[in-house]
Amino acid sequence: MEQVRACSLTSLAAVYLILAVSPAISDMTDSFERMWGNTQVLYNSTGHQIMSLTLDRWTTSAFRSKSLYLFGRFDMDIKLVPKDSAGTVTTIYMITEGPWQYHDEIDLEFLGNTTGEPYTLHTNIYAKGKGGREKQYRLWFDPTEDFNTYSIIWNPHNIIILVNGKPIRRVKNKMRDDYPFPLFQPMRLYASIWNADEWATQGGRIKTDWSQAPFTAFFRNHRAIACVPYKTAWICGQNSSDSSWFSQELDEDGQQKMKDVDIKYKIYDYCTDTWRLTDGLPKQCVAE
């Protein structure tokens, strides 16, 4: 049965899918479209594009990818809001466009801080409309001084989130054990900035100081090596010169680096939240 299934999927890939590969860094407007708010396209001293997102008391800002993707590696350089950014949330995330109750999503949310405090990276995964899989990490550097690279690797085997090339989180595909995983639905890449002072900084105890506004984050050097689905097919081929991401998993060195991050910088894990675990350990924890 598994052999028949594999053959049918291979045929489907050959007939219905193309592989879109963008291994080189391109202008931001080649890949993204502005959505709302104060979203601007700037140029650095070398003529390369930078997109900025600004938040003030009246409006949020966002942009999104022109393409939908079904698996890929996505890298983005981000320079976060400096100084007192309490209450603000800067995000990059991937999300489907189908019915909300069945949506898939991969979230990286950067929670603002008071001056001198570290930024928090809040991560979450949704599959088939089910989320609640939050993990949070203190960034071990000042993400406002310069650009740093944040990456999502999404393939049929797992989701890996990296910071400056260092893996911090992995979610394995355990669908055979009936654990939901984003597998069938294409997703679009978004970036946004918005106010969430009811929860973002110290659980909502620190509110947004609007006298510090406007709050601006900068994005550059987007790189996508990804599958763009054609029609409704979901499986992706490997006819690319750079397709290592399609089967990438964590080797022993990567697993050790992730463990080191857990020990030193992880500050919240839904799998150990005793306030939420009234019905026992969530089954998704097994897929982490």
Side-chain angles (χ1 to χ4, degrees), residues 37-191:
N38 188 2
T39 305
Q40 298 187 20
V41 179
L42 310 172
Y43 292 84
N44 64 16
S45 59
T46 62
H48 289 95
Q49 288 183 346
I50 297 173
M51 293 188 78
S52 66
L53 295 177
T54 297
L55 169 70
D56 58 34
R57 189 184 292 271
W58 300 277
T59 184
T60 64
S61 301
F63 62 82
R64 70 176 186 178
S65 64
K66 295 178 181 179
S67 297
L68 284 161
Y69 303 106
L70 192 59
F71 311 130
R73 174 171 179 142
F74 309 90
D75 303 292
M76 183 79 79
D77 291 354
I78 306 175
K79 186 177 181 181
L80 294 173
V81 177
K83 300 180 180 179
D84 187 349
S85 57
T88 70
V89 179
T90 304
T91 70
I92 54 170
Y93 62 100
M94 302 189 72
I95 192 168
T96 57
E97 297 186 339
W100 181 255
Q101 63 267 35
Y102 305 116
H103 87 285
D104 298 336
E105 189 173 346
I106 305 170
D107 289 338
L108 279 70
E109 300 182 336
F110 302 90
L111 311 186
N113 62 358
T114 56
T115 303
E117 294 295 319
Y119 253 86
T120 296
L121 172 54
H122 177 98
T123 66
N124 198 3
I125 308 294
Y126 285 79
K128 296 183 179 179
K130 304 295 184 181
R133 301 164 75 168
E134 300 94 342
K135 292 189 178 184
Q136 293 184 347
Y137 307 84
R138 294 290 196 204
L139 293 179
W140 52 93
F141 52 88
D142 185 345
T144 72
E145 289 186 343
D146 203 350
F147 287 91
N148 291 272
T149 304
Y150 306 92
S151 308
I152 297 170
I153 297 174
W154 170 39
N155 62 37
H157 310 288
N158 48 207
I159 295 165
I160 303 172
I161 297 172
L162 305 99
V163 176
N164 290 330
K166 179 183 294 187
I168 67 166
R169 184 174 183 183
R170 173 184 58 180
V171 176
K172 295 181 180 179
N173 179 358
K174 295 286 187 179
M175 289 188 65
R176 289 187 177 181
D177 298 320
D178 199 30
Y179 305 134
F181 182 85
L183 190 64
F184 299 99
Q185 303 184 85
M187 291 195 269
R188 201 182 296 271
L189 182 65
Y190 285 76

